Amino acid sequence: MPDFFFLPPMNIAGDGALDAAVDQMSSQGFEKALIVTDEPLHREVHATKPLIERLEAKGIDYVVYDQVTPNPTVAECDEGAAIYAREECDFLVSFGGGSPHDCCKGIGIVATNGGSIRDYAGVDRMRVKMAPMFAVNTTSGTASEITRFAIITDEEARSKLPVVDWRCTPSVSVDDPKLMEGMPAGLTAATGMDALSHALEAYVSTAASHLTDPGALRAVELIEKSLVDAYRDGKDRGARSDMTYAEFLAGMAFNNASLGFIHAMSHQVGGMYHTLAHGVINSVLMPHVIAWNATVAGERYAEIAEHMGIERQGRSTDDVVQDLIAKVLAFNQAMRIPVNLGEMGVTDEDVPHLADHALADACAATNPRPASVAEMQALFRRAISGEGIPQRSAAA
């Protein structure tokens, strides 16, 4: 079987990336943008101001849709698509992290394909490519600015709809570390651990390849080196730059190798408990999924551990994997991430619903070790209670 590799046609990263992106919007002849973002970024901290100033300087018209929520919904995609059509926009600009990017993809899909975003849940369900999209990233974690994934909350079904389609890959990704300096510590932690989960899951995925492995391994090196520093000092430009490239590399890996049970499970928790941050859920699930997968993917996890500075020479694979789990717990502790899902308000009574939907999630298909319904329920219950995983670890 051949390996496929998906990535936006153009990727702009580093200092000055925003200026270069707006130059591209102008040179490509776009006339009116729908800017998709959230209300706090646009109206409270005015983070969109640099983008808007540059659009105005180039004579590019725009309208702003800033009603994106932390877990974007079907209704938000529909509303944005209606505005896109009514305002006669000819391209999209997402501004923010994973939520604006995913919602913008949903808007772009509906704008060109019609119907509801529900129609495109699954893998390669679109007929035509979505509307042109520039994804301006302000976080270092989700990598949604470069991926063919859009995760949309279906409030009626109380679950998340993973849309996986190369036709919803953004046209241009924009990663400017300067836009990330104001990211609060909690968001730095959540998005950074999301990036780590992307790298880990891509590397042990059943679809991993020689094309995806290098990005995953370099990502974990950069995360181990700089995530906690970025958390402690948001203006540390070196740490911010490392995390910008780490999330991009991890995104390259999982965009092509896909993911596993961490994300399959996290999508369902986020779909039911809308206020919980995706990256934080991933952080709590990560040790439990590593422990579950270790019986079949121990060697791959040991290779990851080496790239995170864990000594491997002369030691058993099991011991090295246990140290990797301890490393994850140390990150969580250093960044004040909760110990278990129960601490976050997730209850046992929701486990049957969560387990059924997790096993049906597209990300579950490439997890290295399958699970029955009963085993998935048990995995959720361990993550809720913290059973089987040390509650705390040494500081990172």
Side-chain angles (χ1 to χ4, degrees), residues 93-132:
V93 181
S94 57
F95 187 95
S99 299
H101 300 324
D102 281 7
C103 186
C104 193
K105 291 175 187 177
I107 291 168
I109 291 167
V110 174
T112 57
N113 287 265
S116 165
I117 193 62
R118 291 188 183 94
D119 300 330
Y120 308 102
V123 180
D124 292 340
R125 301 283 300 277
M126 295 167 61
R127 297 185 302 277
V128 297
K129 199 171 188 321
M130 70 173 182

Side-chain angles (χ1 to χ4, degrees), residues 233-309:
D233 179 5
K235 295 190 180 300
D236 183 331
R237 292 299 295 277
R240 284 293 189 209
S241 182
D242 281 351
M243 288 306 301
T244 299
Y245 286 104
E247 72 96 24
F248 189 94
L249 291 166
M252 286 174 56
F254 93 80
N255 192 38
N256 296 281
S258 195
L259 296 160
F261 279 178
I262 295 173
H263 279 78
M265 296 169 73
S266 180
H267 291 158
Q268 313 323 314
V269 175
M272 292 195 73
Y273 299 84
H274 296 163
T275 61
L276 300 183
H278 170 70
V280 175
I281 301 168
N282 287 358
S283 304
V284 175
L285 289 169
M286 203 179 303
H288 297 277
V289 175
I290 293 173
W292 169 260
N293 286 334
T295 58
V296 298
E299 181 65 23
R300 297 288 278 182
Y301 282 128
E303 291 167 5
I304 290 169
E306 277 192 288
H307 284 264
M308 295 187 75

Side-chain angles (χ1 to χ4, degrees), residues 55-140:
L55 291 174
E56 291 175 345
K58 291 289 186 181
I60 300 173
D61 198 5
Y62 61 89
V63 61
V64 179
Y65 176 64
D66 64 2
Q67 296 303 299
V68 179
T69 56
N71 291 287
T73 66
V74 171
E76 290 163 21
C77 296
D78 290 343
E79 184 178 5
I83 295 170
Y84 184 88
R86 184 175 68 244
E87 294 289 336
E88 298 182 338
C89 298
D90 61 350
F91 76 115
L92 294 157
V93 181
S94 57
F95 187 95
S99 299
H101 300 324
D102 281 7
C103 186
C104 193
K105 291 175 187 177
I107 291 168
I109 291 167
V110 174
T112 57
N113 287 265
S116 165
I117 193 62
R118 291 188 183 94
D119 300 330
Y120 308 102
V123 180
D124 292 340
R125 301 283 300 277
M126 295 167 61
R127 297 185 302 277
V128 297
K129 199 171 188 321
M130 70 173 182
M133 174 180 165
F134 286 70
V136 181
N137 200 33
T138 66
T139 67
S140 302

